[in-house]
Amino acid sequence: MIRMILAVLAGVIAGGVATGLLEALGHVALPLPDGLIPEDLNDREALNAALAQVPDANRVAVIAAWAGGALVAGWLTTTLARRHHLALALVAGGGLLFAGLSNLIFIPSPLWMWAFGLAVFLPMAWLGYRLAGKRG
């Protein structure tokens, strides 16, 4: 039981790290336009106005990073668990889904990003489970 809990925890942490790295790579590949983000990040109104102007390509890159993180989470959770449990991989993906939902709540995003963003976590965790191969 402890091994399964630690496997899920490691999967969520690794998936979060992978998401962060992939998002950073996305920011390098698709930099935001100069001057888009306001100087005062505490000015919520100015920040919301700037975020509304973020190009869709940058939003797609964030969704791709979320998908990559969920894939890593599902794969690592499955690999570390003694038994091959789909449920464990999906729990890890669900942990990242919660993080993505929190992101969408606090950062204004269009409806399509909500739909596609939340839809990637569990299928990609399932794919990570499948890629981990049959063990135990």
Side-chain angles (χ1 to χ4, degrees):
M1 178 66 136
I2 297 289
R3 183 181 185 96
M4 292 188 294
I5 292 169
L6 292 175
V8 170
L9 185 59
V12 170
I13 292 170
V17 169
T19 298
L21 292 173
L22 291 169
E23 283 187 19
L25 184 61
H27 290 306
V28 170
L30 299 166
L32 291 173
D34 288 335
L36 180 65
I37 302 301
E39 292 287 326
D40 182 11
L41 295 178
N42 293 320
D43 183 354
R44 192 69 179 165
E45 203 170 288
L47 186 58
N48 287 346
L51 290 172
Q53 297 177 31
V54 170
D56 287 344
N58 293 78
R59 295 180 193 278
V60 170
V62 167
I63 293 172
W66 291 352
L71 178 79
V72 168
W75 180 84
L76 186 64
T77 298
T78 302
T79 300
L80 294 178
R82 188 168 299 249
R83 294 193 179 98
H84 196 68
H85 291 289
L86 173 59
L88 297 177
L90 294 179
V91 168
L96 292 179
L97 185 140
F98 179 75
L101 177 62
S102 299
N103 189 308
L104 290 168
I105 288 170
F106 291 110
I107 298 175
S109 302
L111 185 59
W112 68 263
M113 189 169 180
W114 279 76
F116 290 108
L118 296 178
V120 300
F121 290 102
L122 296 181
M124 292 304 288
W126 171 83
L127 182 58
Y129 159 81
R130 296 287 299 183
L131 291 174
K134 301 291 182 201
R135 304 179 23 200

